[in-house]
Amino acid sequence: MVSRRSHQKSRTGCAQCKKRRIKCDELRPACSNCVKHSITCDFQSGSPSSASPAHPPKLLKQVSSLKSPGSRRSSVRSRPLISNGLDPAELQMGDLELLHQFVTSTCYTTSNRTESHDLWRITVPQEGFHHDFLMRGILAIAAHHLSHLRPDRAADYQNIAHSHQDKALSTFQTAITNMNETNCHAFFALSSLIVVYAFASPRKPGTLALTDDSQDSPGEASWLPMIRGVNSILQQVWPWVESGPLRGLLQPGVINTMDIRLPKPAAHQLKELAGLCETAEGGEEAVAAYRDAVRALQKCYAKIFTRASVECEVGTAFTWPVEVPDKFIQLLNARAPEALVILAHYCVVLHHLDDYWWMTGWAAHVMGNIYSELNESWREWIQWPSDTISRNERCLVWRPLSPDMMPSQTPVSMTSS
């Protein structure tokens, strides 16, 4: 007689597995058996695991700002949207229209890398069937895209987008305290979509929509800390995502920017910014922060200028916000003129994304508000990036250069802090 294979009994499994008398693997937020059979796992309403990585509080603050005014916390739990015995009468045709829009059109507009298109078209929605916060994030982005494509119904689609995003973020804020190897891919995908949503949302005139605790209008998403918050999530789950189904969305680091020589106008501006750093007010800590921000900007310029075909244009452009030091963010928050001047030169990078429907006009919007923040004596410092954007130039796109645009023969040097 073949002896029965020994196994470790689970005394803390979910109620569904106990009822069916099968071993529960106790994965959170839903065990594998419940996911397999598309039933609600009672872990989804349980307390967060103490082993979960700490959630980034700044990102959660920014996530809250994306909710529409007056929205309440949703009681929707993270569970598969499709369950056994679905009544056809309950089909939501509007949601099906949004899902169709995402997989046939919107999925191609989040990145210029063809390698990532099938991941957004197929793999991300598949993850969404097991995590409703991700599926609602998908529907929200699709609704925003339709509001862009169908301006006669823009208000209707924006209201639909807000509704789905509110529900997605309420669940996301709760579930992020229980991030693990199983659900991290959904968190990664929604985090990326949150950034797209923030840029796709209507801009309010006269605001930078820039930083935490700023003078910007309440309820408006602050895009720069949002990008930094998404990066903080990615850093927590990087080993899992790197080996998971969405690893193709990660940005490959293939460019060495040390010896790259930029076109003369861009190189000249960076050299001017380097000099500005050395005379900046605020003490040595502020000077060091400005130096680091300009170094990161030089690196970002170089990556855009020599971007390989395997690199995502959006991911490359968003490297600068995650590489600047916290002190620089504080100086931006205080509207220090040196920080605003450096940010204005980053708008040249943002302008390279202007062809994406969700980024159109953002560089000009930020630049215009920086101009309003600076007094006359500082405005000459932003003349070059302002002219570049107003003339709709892509000054960092690689192409054969005329003699007056030939690269500088010496890299921009930054004094060591």
Side-chain angles (χ1 to χ4, degrees):
M1 177 181 296
V2 178
S3 61
R4 182 180 179 183
R5 184 173 60 180
S6 62
H7 66 280
Q8 182 71 31
K9 290 187 177 181
S10 172
R11 301 186 184 278
T12 57
C14 75
Q16 297 288 357
C17 288
K18 289 180 179 179
K19 182 178 179 181
R20 298 174 62 220
R21 297 184 178 180
I22 58 177
K23 178 175 173 55
C24 180
D25 59 13
E26 302 180 37
L27 287 178
R28 310 271 178 159
C31 74
S32 299
N33 292 325
C34 289
V35 170
K36 178 180 179 181
H37 295 282
S38 296
I39 57 180
T40 301
C41 183
D42 61 341
F43 285 160
Q44 293 162 341
S45 59
S47 59
S49 167
S50 60
S52 302
H55 56 80
K58 287 188 178 181
L59 176 62
L60 294 187
K61 180 177 180 179
Q62 296 306 317
V63 162
S64 297
S65 71
L66 280 173
K67 294 183 181 180
S68 57
S71 64
R72 298 181 178 179
R73 176 174 291 276
S74 171
S75 60
V76 179
R77 297 174 183 172
S78 178
R79 61 177 182 273
L81 289 180
I82 299 178
S83 59
N84 293 334
L86 179 66
D87 183 353
E90 297 179 357
L91 284 174
Q92 299 295 319
M93 291 301 179
D95 290 347
L96 294 179
E97 176 194 18
L98 296 179
L99 183 58
H100 178 266
Q101 169 66 22
F102 186 87
V103 300
T104 61
S105 178
T106 308
C107 65
Y108 299 106
T109 67
T110 59
S111 169
N112 65 315
R113 287 183 66 220
T114 56
E115 297 89 342
S116 68
H117 290 164
D118 278 351
L119 292 174
W120 283 111
R121 183 174 66 89
I122 299 172
T123 311
V124 171
Q126 286 176 337
E127 286 289 324
F129 289 132
H130 299 293
H131 304 279
D132 71 343
F133 60 80
L134 174 56
M135 182 57 74
R136 292 191 182 278
I138 289 171
L139 300 183
I141 293 298
H144 256 315
H145 194 195
L146 285 173
S147 75
H148 174 79
L149 296 173
R150 304 175 186 176
D152 57 319
R153 294 190 56 196
D156 293 336
Y157 282 119
Q158 286 172 9
N159 287 334
I160 294 171
H162 293 329
S163 176
H164 280 299
Q165 190 75 352
D166 286 348
K167 293 174 182 176
L169 297 181
S170 292
T171 308
F172 176 83
Q173 287 178 283
T174 302
I176 199 173
T177 60
N178 194 27
M179 196 157 45
N180 56 45
E181 188 172 2
T182 301
N183 61 24
C184 67
H185 314 293
F187 283 114
F188 169 49
L190 181 62
S191 297
S192 301
L193 291 178
I194 284 174
V195 173
V196 176
Y197 187 94
F199 281 110
S201 299
R203 296 182 290 271
K204 296 178 181 177
T207 62
L208 276 170
L210 183 62
T211 56
D212 291 332
D213 304 321
S214 68
Q215 299 90 350
D216 296 336
S217 301
E220 182 162 6
S222 301
W223 58 270
L224 197 151
M226 185 80 71
I227 295 172
R228 290 167 67 85
V230 168
N231 182 69
S232 68
I233 285 184
L234 180 57
Q235 294 306 314
Q236 292 182 53
V237 299
W238 181 277
W240 294 334
V241 175
E242 192 177 30
S243 60
L246 299 182
R247 60 186 176 276
L249 297 181
L250 298 177
Q251 178 79 353
V254 298
I255 288 184
N256 179 358
T257 62
M258 295 299 294
D259 299 321
I260 292 173
R261 301 186 188 279
L262 294 168
K264 187 181 294 184
H268 173 74
Q269 291 299 315
L270 289 170
K271 186 175 181 179
E272 292 291 308
L273 290 180
L276 177 64
C277 293
E278 302 311 313
T279 60
E281 298 181 355
E284 182 56 36
E285 186 181 6
V287 170
Y290 293 138
R291 287 172 183 156
D292 289 343
V294 174
R295 287 193 189 101
L297 186 61
Q298 179 186 4
K299 183 178 176 182
C300 189
Y301 274 19
K303 284 185 174 181
I304 291 288
F305 183 59
T306 58
R307 183 177 56 83
S309 60
V310 297
E311 290 196 299
C312 173
E313 185 176 38
V314 175
T316 300
F318 287 166
T319 57
W320 182 79
V322 304
E323 291 185 359
V324 296
D326 290 338
K327 178 63 178 178
F328 181 78
I329 300 298
Q330 295 171 15
L331 292 163
L332 270 179
N333 204 34
R335 300 300 197 264
E338 295 90 346
L340 292 174
V341 167
I342 295 172
L343 177 66
H345 285 75
Y346 174 65
C347 288
V348 171
V349 175
L350 288 183
H351 189 59
H352 279 258
L353 306 181
D354 216 52
D355 291 336
Y356 292 87
W357 65 270
W358 46 276
M359 283 297 299
T360 301
W362 260 100
H365 172 77
V366 176
M367 179 62 70
N369 285 288
I370 291 174
Y371 183 89
S372 298
E373 291 280 349
L374 295 173
N375 61 37
E376 195 65 38
S377 63
W378 282 97
R379 288 175 179 172
E380 63 182 59
W381 282 95
I382 64 171
Q383 191 66 48
W384 177 74
S386 179
D387 289 347
T388 298
I389 293 170
S390 64
R391 293 195 296 259
N392 196 27
E393 292 181 357
R394 303 294 200 273
C395 64
L396 298 176
V397 173
W398 189 92
R399 58 187 180 276
L401 302 176
S402 59
D404 62 316
M405 296 284 287
M406 288 301 289
S408 169
Q409 293 303 303
T410 57
V412 176
S413 62
M414 298 292 296
T415 303
S416 177
S417 57

